[in-house]
Amino acid sequence: QWDLVCDSAWKVHIAKFSLLVGLIFGHLITGCIADWVGRQPVLLFSVIFILIFGLTVALSVNVTMFSTLRFFEGFCLAGIVLSLYALRIELCPPGHRFMITMVASFIEMAGQFLMPGLAALCRDWQVMKKEVVTKFLCRSPQAPGSIFPESLRWLMATQQFEASKELILQFTRKNRMNTESDIKGVVPELEKEITRRPKKVCIVKVVGTRNLWKNIVVLCVNSLTGYGIHHCFAKSMMGHEAKMAITHNFYADYYTMAGIALASCLAMCPVVGFLGRRGGLLLFMILTALASLLQLGLLNLIGKYSQLPDSGMSDSVKDKFSTAFSIVGMFSSHAVGSLSVFFCAEITPTVIRGGGLGLVLASAGFGRLTAPIMELHNQKGYFLHHVIFACCTLICIICILLLPESKNQNLPENIPDGEHYTRQPLLPHKKGEQPLLLTNSELKDYSGLHDSAAVSDGISENTTANGMKSM
């Protein structure tokens, strides 16, 4: 429509770049806003403005207007994704958090599989855009207010007891509960604390922590590496040029990549259920590193031998190995990116969960941003790009061992709770073997040691800890 071919083809990549930059800024800003004013207002305003910008994008008259509006559309989309993710995590009990998150991922995958069919039926991107936004408009006006109330966990963590009391009473009326018997003791306790001022925290407070900021940084690097190297594997599988693609059909290539993502989500369910969050993330990162290193090293070796006249190897053998390693790499890197976001949502305290999620999702956006940047440079420096991310996978494998395990653990509510998450060993220690790191319960057992020693009168001043008299 706007003749974006030949010398103007770079404008297509600018439009992709604009959307991803909008997502990055949206995750960072809406995450902080969600911690300050709540998840529901962010969701409500994001839904309203994405409807406005979505309809306006469909009315774009040139590529400049289209790219600019796509930035704001990405910003609003980030607010919807982040607020819904935080609400899901804060609503579910510990044993169901991962299951509900995976259900949401499968619904997202279903939309991804349906999109090419919708595009084939509409045949005009402007018609498709208007149709999608119109359907969204018909179904969403009442959603933020009724289906998604404000997070009660966030209200309690930030000590907004007046709003907490109103929300609890609203739940009791809708569920036809007996206020006197079913929530006996809850409302009176809230009545005592209503006069207290709310305590809202910004993500900047993480800088003063000892363990929490390290966990968030590790997960940011994992998310950046997972989504960044995913593009390297995709380009290796599809080929740098159109003639090298595994198929010569856009829809076949699209469904191949979507199918790999679906298989990755399916594999995450048993792996994370058996190994936990940290073990699953470590396993998928090791697979990503192996696929990347084998693709970079082994394929170069095969390429050298294939040039020899009596080697019996051909370029087709190299292409088959490259495709196999790329499929494994896309499979595992998708799981790494998804698990990093979920892991961050579980170990970040409720008072700053929006900001923590914003940082990890923004890091994922930076990883995705490498795709349009490489396309703008006509894939120059592609090999170095892959080498850098392959080195990052090795660093991430070591850093993952420093993370705590959050499976079946209660969500931390404030920053001190998040600091109490300590690293546990991957394998349980043997009987009689003293663990290197103490658990939270053990730390609590020793918390009053000095107080009891100060109060105790049974031990004389010249008696040592093992009961021997000092000379």
Side-chain angles (χ1 to χ4, degrees):
Q1 179 181 352
W2 296 320
D3 197 24
L4 301 180
V5 294
C6 298
D7 293 338
S8 299
W10 61 274
K11 295 180 181 179
V12 177
H13 307 312
I14 290 295
K16 298 177 184 177
F17 185 88
S18 177
L19 176 67
L20 290 172
V21 171
L23 283 169
I24 292 171
F25 278 97
H27 288 311
L28 292 174
I29 295 175
T30 59
C32 295
I33 296 175
D35 288 333
W36 197 255
V37 303
R39 285 73 165 116
Q40 188 191 36
V42 171
L43 178 60
L44 177 61
F45 283 101
S46 297
V47 167
I48 292 173
F49 282 104
I50 200 172
L51 295 175
I52 296 172
F53 288 118
L55 289 173
T56 312
V57 166
L59 302 176
S60 300
V61 295
N62 53 46
V63 68
T64 303
M65 179 180 177
F66 178 82
S67 300
T68 304
L69 291 173
R70 287 282 280 177
F71 170 85
F72 293 104
E73 190 178 19
F75 188 97
C76 299
L77 182 61
I80 295 175
V81 171
L82 188 143
S83 56
L84 286 178
Y85 207 107
L87 282 168
R88 283 197 302 267
I89 292 294
E90 293 171 357
L91 180 66
C92 300
H96 297 84
R97 287 196 298 258
F98 185 72
M99 179 190 69
I100 296 300
T101 302
M102 293 312 300
V103 169
S105 297
F106 289 134
I107 295 175
E108 181 182 353
M109 289 282 109
Q112 189 173 350
F113 275 95
L114 291 175
M115 187 57 68
L118 183 61
L121 290 174
C122 294
R123 295 187 176 275
D124 188 345
W125 70 271
Q126 291 178 319
V127 174
M128 185 181 71
K129 189 76 176 177
K130 293 175 183 177
E131 182 179 351
V132 171
V133 172
T134 302
K135 290 182 178 179
F136 191 57
L137 179 63
C138 295
R139 289 169 171 78
S140 61
Q142 297 178 353
S146 59
I147 302 178
F148 298 107
E150 185 55 85
S151 171
L152 182 59
R153 183 184 295 273
W154 176 77
L155 290 173
M156 296 291 289
T158 54
Q159 298 183 6
Q160 301 182 62
F161 299 117
E162 179 68 32
S164 302
K165 174 189 172 184
E166 294 178 1
L167 189 57
I168 291 175
L169 293 176
Q170 181 182 350
F171 288 156
T172 58
R173 287 193 295 268
K174 287 186 176 181
N175 295 323
R176 298 178 181 178
M177 298 171 61
N178 187 353
T179 308
E180 296 181 358
S181 60
D182 293 333
I183 57 172
K184 185 179 181 181
V186 176
V187 175
E189 288 295 326
L190 292 178
E191 292 282 1
K192 297 178 183 178
E193 305 291 341
I194 278 178
T195 56
R196 298 180 63 176
R197 293 183 61 184
K199 290 185 178 180
K200 299 178 181 179
V201 185
C202 182
I203 188 64
V204 180
K205 293 289 185 180
V206 173
V207 178
T209 61
R210 183 177 180 180
N211 298 316
L212 188 58
W213 74 270
K214 297 177 185 178
N215 296 336
I216 295 177
V217 169
V218 168
L219 292 172
C220 285
V221 176
N222 275 269
S223 178
L224 173 66
T225 303
Y227 283 100
I229 204 170
H230 188 273
H231 169 68
C232 299
F233 290 123
K235 275 297 176 185
S236 297
M237 188 175 72
M238 299 301 175
H240 305 307
E241 300 176 5
K243 64 180 182 179
M244 295 177 61
I246 56 173
T247 65
H248 298 282
N249 189 305
F250 167 79
Y251 292 103
D253 291 343
Y254 178 90
Y255 279 117
T256 299
M257 299 181 68
I260 293 172
L262 178 62
S264 176
C265 291
L266 290 172
M268 284 168 58
C269 297
V271 170
V272 175
F274 181 71
L275 297 178
R277 282 55 161 154
R278 185 179 59 168
L281 184 59
L282 180 62
L283 175 62
F284 286 118
M285 184 60 80
I286 291 174
L287 287 176
T288 304
L290 288 175
S292 181
L293 294 175
L294 288 173
Q295 191 173 49
L296 292 172
L298 183 60
L299 292 183
N300 287 333
L301 184 64
I302 293 175
K304 291 179 180 179
Y305 276 102
S306 63
Q307 296 176 359
L308 299 176
D310 299 330
S311 63
M313 294 184 181
S314 61
D315 290 338
S316 62
V317 176
K318 181 179 177 181
D319 292 339
K320 290 178 180 177
F321 272 106
S322 178
T323 301
F325 291 143
S326 297
I327 291 174
V328 174
M330 291 178 66
F331 169 86
S332 56
S333 61
H334 181 273
V336 166
S338 301
L339 270 178
S340 299
V341 177
F342 175 74
F343 208 161
C344 176
E346 283 198 321
I347 67 174
T348 306
T350 302
V351 292
I352 56 170
R353 182 164 293 119
L357 274 173
L359 288 174
V360 177
L361 288 171
S363 300
F366 277 112
R368 291 194 187 105
L369 200 61
T370 57
I373 291 176
M374 293 299 296
E375 291 170 352
L376 279 171
H377 289 81
N378 198 21
Q379 302 301 329
K380 291 181 180 179
Y382 164 79
F383 182 78
L384 179 61
H385 175 222
H386 199 165
V387 169
I388 292 173
F389 276 114
C391 295
C392 289
T393 59
L394 300 178
I395 298 173
C396 290
I397 290 174
I398 300 173
C399 294
I400 289 172
L401 298 174
L402 304 176
L403 295 173
E405 177 57 60
S406 59
K407 182 180 178 182
N408 294 327
Q409 300 291 326
N410 293 325
L411 293 176
E413 302 300 339
N414 47 47
I415 292 180
D417 290 342
E419 279 289 278
H420 288 162
Y421 264 101
T422 55
R423 179 180 66 86
Q424 301 86 19
L426 284 175
L427 300 176
H429 58 272
K430 299 178 181 179
K431 288 185 177 180
E433 181 181 358
Q434 185 176 2
L436 296 178
L437 295 174
L438 297 177
T439 61
N440 290 342
S441 60
E442 290 170 328
L443 287 171
K444 291 178 181 177
D445 292 340
Y446 286 96
S447 60
L449 181 62
H450 298 290
D451 297 337
S452 59
V455 176
S456 176
D457 296 327
I459 301 177
S460 62
E461 294 180 356
N462 61 345
T463 303
T464 59
N466 58 1
M468 300 295 294
K469 294 280 186 178
S470 61
M471 299 300 294

